[in-house]
Amino acid sequence: MNPVHADFFAGGAGEERTLKANTDAYARRRIIPRVLRGTGPRDLRTTVCGTDLSMPVLIAPTAFHLLAHPAGETGTAAGAAAAGTAMVVSMAATQPIEQIATAGATLWFQLYPQPDTAFQDALIGRVTKAGVKALVVTVDSPVLGHRRRDLRNGFTDLPDGLACANMDGRDIVMDAALGWPHIDRLRAATGLPLILKGILHPADAALAVEHGADAIIVSNHGGRQLDGAIATLDALPAVLGATGGRIPVLIDGGIRTGTDVLVALALGATAVLVGRPVIRGLAAGGAHGVRETLETLRAQLDHGLALAGAQRPADLTPDLIT
Ligand SMILES: Cc1cc2nc3c(=O)[nH]c(=O)nc-3n(C[C@H](O)[C@H](O)[C@H](O)COP(=O)(O)O)c2cc1C
Ligand SMILES: O=C(O)C(=O)c1ccccc1
């Protein structure tokens, strides 16, 4: 990959402390396995907001897949389809949603709320018509994070010939005026499940429930927005305390192995999303590479469940983690 693009995918904001904290939080945890619980054969299937998944792992929304591989988002979606999981398509996707949909994966669509609500409504209509099964609204980006690698590299825009293919020639606006009324507006604008991505504070998790969110994603945007923000795994318990089981709580950031998935599930997440590992799979081998990444996570999760004394994700409980 072009090193400038590799930096774009890998990098975080500021000192990259939060980027590192996400993976460190998993490395700090240890599993206290149970034995003699009859763990075979495992069943990893999970349903989230009406979407059936072969395992509790989804593809996080990430920008610009054509920079990673000529198959682009359609290749990523084909990998998701082969693995039986869902892909969250970024608003900054470089291929049209209708093309990505031809790969046959279950798709959710990620949206940065746009001040041009007429355009936003049209985009929601377009992706709904294309068959997406949920809207994921990213709420952690009132402004873009300060990404020093991109600034140093002068990476400010897509190269000629590439564009955000679902934006009708517009730029994505990150809007610091956003508030809960914008969420209420989105809630009224769609019958699709509405999922808020980028929640870290328990008070915001409670507000998300009150404003009709169908699920939330505990996320710090992979350490790309507020450097110094809490690691997502460390934020999870208080968020779960605030939601009290009323809606599913998903998590992303720093998940690199199947045992990381196991830890997140045991601490109460319904499912996880993975960002950079999928981009690396895509860059290395297109749709097959994405599938390989997902199948590796599945095999590791399955193996970990057996060794920790769980037959299915629902058997995992917080007492298994220290
Ligand atoms: C290169 C890159 C681009 C991203 N683009 C988006 C995006 O367009 N929309 C969004 O909501 N999140 C975006 N994210 C954040 C991811 O959805 C996710 O929160 C994060 O990557 C999870 O951390 P992980 O990469 O450690 O798995 C992006 C992340 C990366 C690394
Ligand atoms: O969200 C991101 O992290 C990201 O990298 C991005 C870049 C351009 C447009 C939208 C998102």
Side-chain angles (χ1 to χ4, degrees):
M1 208 191 296
N2 177 329
V4 171
H5 302 156
D7 263 351
F8 167 72
F9 288 123
E15 299 284 331
E16 300 190 338
R17 288 180 181 156
T18 295
L19 174 65
K20 181 166 183 294
N22 280 345
T23 49
D24 284 352
Y26 287 94
R28 272 202 329 270
R29 263 56 175 206
R30 294 291 181 271
I31 300 160
I32 313 173
R34 297 295 304 271
V35 297
L36 299 171
R37 298 225 296 183
T39 59
R42 268 78 57 203
D43 180 1
L44 303 185
R45 289 173 298 173
T46 305
T47 301
V48 186
C49 293
T51 290
D52 293 324
L53 306 166
S54 69
M55 61 175 167
V57 179
L58 303 90
I59 298 180
T62 53
F64 305 164
H65 288 197
L66 277 174
L67 293 181
H69 192 278
E73 285 82 7
T74 308
T76 309
T85 190
M87 172 185 180
V88 187
V89 175
S90 168
M91 189 180 218
T94 44
Q95 293 175 331
I97 189 70
E98 296 82 6
Q99 181 189 345
I100 302 167
T102 63
T106 299
L107 302 180
W108 294 358
F109 190 79
Q110 175 265 330
L111 202 71
Y112 292 103
Q114 296 300 290
D116 181 344
T117 52
F119 169 74
Q120 179 172 277
D121 290 345
L123 179 59
I124 291 171
R126 175 178 174 185
V127 302
T128 303
K129 188 166 171 231
V132 315
K133 298 297 184 216
L135 287 185
V136 173
V137 180
T138 300
V139 296
D140 60 13
S141 304
V143 294
L144 188 69
H146 195 262
R147 297 155 189 192
R148 293 189 189 156
R149 299 197 209 203
D150 295 341
L151 295 167
R152 191 190 313 126
N153 293 332
F155 182 73
T156 50
D157 237 326
L158 280 167
D160 282 351
L162 294 189
C164 291
N166 299 290
M167 292 299 296
D168 294 355
R170 295 152 194 269
D171 288 328
I172 294 174
V173 177
M174 291 189 175
D175 182 4
L178 286 180
W180 289 101
H182 298 82
I183 302 302
D184 296 339
R185 195 184 177 286
L186 281 163
R187 176 68 291 175
T190 182
L192 291 174
L194 193 68
I195 301 170
L196 301 191
K197 173 175 182 282
I199 302 281
L200 293 170
H201 198 293
D204 287 336
L207 283 165
V209 177
E210 287 166 25
H211 287 268
D214 295 291
I216 57 174
I217 304 173
V218 173
S219 176
N220 53 35
H221 215 111
R224 294 163 72 85
Q225 286 298 107
L226 176 63
D227 193 36
I230 186 171
T232 51
L233 190 67
D234 294 329
L236 181 63
V239 165
L240 287 163
T243 55
R246 290 175 290 172
I247 54 171
V249 175
L250 285 62
I251 187 170
D252 73 18
I255 292 154
R256 299 291 176 266
T257 70
T259 48
D260 294 343
V261 180
L262 188 160
V263 167
L265 299 177
L267 290 178
T270 298
V272 309
L273 301 89
V274 288
R276 295 179 183 86
V278 169
I279 296 171
R280 296 173 66 101
L282 177 67
H288 283 286
V290 170
R291 182 184 191 173
E292 276 293 307
T293 300
L294 293 167
E295 292 302 343
T296 300
L297 287 169
R298 186 203 313 282
Q300 292 170 343
L301 173 60
D302 181 85
H303 194 65
L305 285 177
L307 290 169
Q311 190 165 16
R312 43 182 71 79
D315 298 335
L316 296 165
T317 45
D319 56 287
L320 303 179
I321 307 301
T322 188

